[in-house]
Amino acid sequence: MLGLGYVGCVTAACLAHAGHRVAGVDRDAFKVESVLAGRAPFFEPGLAELVRDAVAAGRLTATVSLADALSDADVALVCVGTPSEKNGNLGLEQLRRVSCEIAELVPGRAKPLVVAVRSTVYPGTCEEVVLAAMGGSPLVRVVSNPEFLREGAAVKDFMEPSLLVVGGSDAAAVRQVASLYAGLPVEPSIVALRTAELIKYACNAFHAVKIAFANEMGALAGHLGIDGAEVMDTLCRDNALNISRAYLKPGFAFGGSCLPKDLRALVYRASRLDLKLPLLENVLAANAAHLERAIQAALDLPGERIGVFGLAFKENTDDLRESPVVLLLETLIGKGRKVRVYDPHIRLGGIYGSNERYIMNAIPHIGNLLDQTLEAMLGWADQVLVAQKPSADVLALLEASGKPLIDLVGALGRPAQAAIPA
Ligand SMILES: NC(=O)c1ccc[n+]([C@@H]2O[C@H](COP(=O)([O-])OP(=O)(O)OC[C@H]3O[C@@H](n4cnc5c(N)ncnc54)[C@H](O)[C@@H]3O)[C@@H](O)[C@H]2O)c1
């Protein structure tokens, strides 16, 4: 265990408790001496007992010498710090240093070593910093094994993990690291190396967004004399749309007659209370930026004729109000692109009222662009923007057309964003 801080010491004590032989290394002699004396170097509920018992049982030891710790090791779990630099960038000094120290010891090794990076590192770091330092040695394989424990509940989080992620390209090394946690009640998520690195950031960003959202709703509720806790408790009772996988897949921008309107009203009313809600205030801007990426991808298409599948703001509706596809079409047409559109639920004679007014205001000659059949649109187009989730039979027709498909909604079983150049 390289680094006996919050992550390293907890991981070391818990793995020793699980029956592994663990040697902890730290350049901080105080932490090493504490562990050697059977004491946890800092407070974390349950850690003191685990360290005491594991040291007494001879399964956990500690040293300031990396050479001693690694001499008999099969796996090196890297848990060094990655603090923020002044500009917000990730500080990789500790990781660089420990990688070089491992690399210096590799030539003298008799057996292979799997280096598993538990420190939080930006995608690409395991390859560019850790693997690069190993100088191509066939003895060393590098995997990412990010840590998700929370201080204050770190031992419990280790024993009852919410997530276990191991990423790498060497299947045997990935399996070996996953097997360290074999006794825990969690199914390992085996992913690509960079995916594992990014998952850690995705989780922490998501937690931060959740907290900021709950606090903004609580602040608004407080200003309105409403019990914010009751609002959020009730929100959390919806496990279909709120606390669920719903809306958590990368895809197309949102639109329609409700989300943009209601966000605008909420933010406007809050501003009249002199209440700053930066997260909610910026959601529409984030959505607009996402639509802009899709528009740019469409503008960058090489072919002349652009077919668009989907016009309504989502599948199975004919509601065109605030459909991001309408905004996309406006730009493409404005830039002189040749466009035709097919939507299984839109027939011009069939829409009326505010729906008709919206589309006629945005694209008055929409009637000239709408195809009545998918086949007609596919026959005409050089390439097709998939701007709405197709049904299974439509998807089959789209794929059988042989036309390049640009997936804006994540409907084709491959990552939606891969279709949109950065
Ligand atoms: N603290 C958390 O709750 C938590 C949770 C999940 C992930 N993480 C991530 O895990 C990593 C470690 O976090 P932490 O809070 O345990 O950090 P920490 O600062 O508490 O511990 C890092 C330890 O590494 C030691 N170290 C640094 N370079 C070394 C070297 N060359 N040789 C030996 N020891 C060395 C330091 O002396 C220190 O004791 C960070 O990337 C962090 O972002 C932290």
Side-chain angles (χ1 to χ4, degrees), residues 1-9 25-29 31 42 44 63-64 66 78-83 90 93-99 101 118-121 146-152 154 200-201 204:
M1 197 68 55
L2 278 56
L4 288 172
Y6 285 87
V7 167
C9 193
V25 198
D26 206 296
R27 58 186 185 191
D28 179 343
K31 288 179 183 162
F42 48 85
E44 188 63 45
T63 172
V64 288
L66 184 64
V78 177
C79 305
V80 297
T82 51
L90 184 69
E93 222 19 71
Q94 295 182 34
L95 187 70
R96 284 206 180 90
R97 189 162 151 187
V98 88
S99 301
E101 288 168 1
R118 277 176 86 60
S119 303
T120 301
V121 294
E147 172 56 64
F148 298 99
L149 60 77
R150 296 163 300 170
E151 286 176 18
K200 172 65 191 176
Y201 281 95
N204 273 356

Side-chain angles (χ1 to χ4, degrees), residues 35-332:
V35 171
L36 280 175
R39 285 194 310 269
F42 48 85
F43 176 73
E44 188 63 45
L47 184 62
E49 297 79 357
L50 283 180
V51 171
R52 183 195 63 206
D53 295 350
V55 170
R59 283 197 299 270
L60 174 60
T61 179
T63 172
V64 288
S65 161
L66 184 64
D68 288 352
L70 282 193
S71 63
D72 195 27
D74 302 306
V75 180
L77 293 160
V78 177
C79 305
V80 297
T82 51
S84 269
E85 289 177 351
K86 275 195 183 130
N87 61 4
N89 194 16
L90 184 69
L92 291 175
E93 222 19 71
Q94 295 182 34
L95 187 70
R96 284 206 180 90
R97 189 162 151 187
V98 88
S99 301
C100 291
E101 288 168 1
I102 297 171
E104 280 167 19
L105 296 168
V106 170
R109 285 186 70 80
K111 60 177 180 174
L113 182 70
V114 175
V115 178
V117 178
R118 277 176 86 60
S119 303
T120 301
V121 294
Y122 195 74
T125 308
C126 283
E127 285 160 313
E128 289 154 19
V129 174
V130 185
L131 192 60
M134 301 306 150
S137 166
L139 277 182
V140 183
R141 279 148 310 152
V142 176
V143 306
S144 166
N145 173 213
E147 172 56 64
F148 298 99
L149 60 77
R150 296 163 300 170
E151 286 176 18
V155 171
K156 185 171 182 296
D157 283 351
F158 186 97
M159 298 299 185
E160 299 161 20
S162 53
L163 193 60
L164 171 59
V165 175
V166 188
S169 51
D170 185 305
V174 166
R175 264 199 311 277
Q176 191 176 355
V177 172
S179 73
L180 296 176
Y181 309 95
L184 299 176
V186 65
E187 191 62 35
S189 298
I190 307 295
V191 296
L193 186 61
R194 286 169 175 237
T195 307
E197 294 171 308
L198 185 55
I199 285 170
K200 172 65 191 176
Y201 281 95
C203 289
N204 273 356
F206 189 42
H207 298 165
V209 166
K210 283 172 79 170
I211 294 167
F213 174 79
N215 285 339
E216 289 196 357
M217 287 312 300
L220 178 60
H223 269 68
L224 298 173
I226 296 167
D227 180 354
E230 189 178 19
V231 171
M232 288 307 296
D233 274 349
T234 312
L235 178 148
C236 291
R237 292 180 65 182
D238 176 347
N239 293 125
L241 299 183
N242 292 345
I243 309 302
S244 72
R245 289 173 170 264
Y247 308 126
L248 283 176
K249 196 172 166 200
F252 199 31
F254 64 77
S257 61
C258 293
L259 299 192
K261 167 178 82 73
D262 295 347
L263 262 167
R264 274 195 293 269
L266 197 70
V267 164
Y268 174 73
R269 289 298 187 107
S271 75
R272 283 178 50 187
L273 297 168
D274 285 336
L275 185 58
K276 283 198 171 63
L277 304 177
L279 180 65
L280 291 169
E281 283 163 18
N282 283 292
V283 174
L284 286 174
N287 198 47
H290 192 60
L291 179 58
E292 189 52 44
R293 286 188 284 272
I295 290 172
Q296 198 53 54
L299 289 173
D300 290 346
L301 290 174
E304 207 183 319
R305 300 165 167 209
I306 304 174
V308 178
F309 173 76
L311 179 58
F313 77 100
K314 63 176 179 179
E315 66 277 16
N316 296 325
T317 178
D318 62 1
D319 196 347
L320 298 171
R321 288 172 295 170
E322 301 215 35
S323 168
V325 191
V326 172
L327 294 170
L328 178 123
L329 289 177
E330 278 185 286
T331 312
L332 291 181

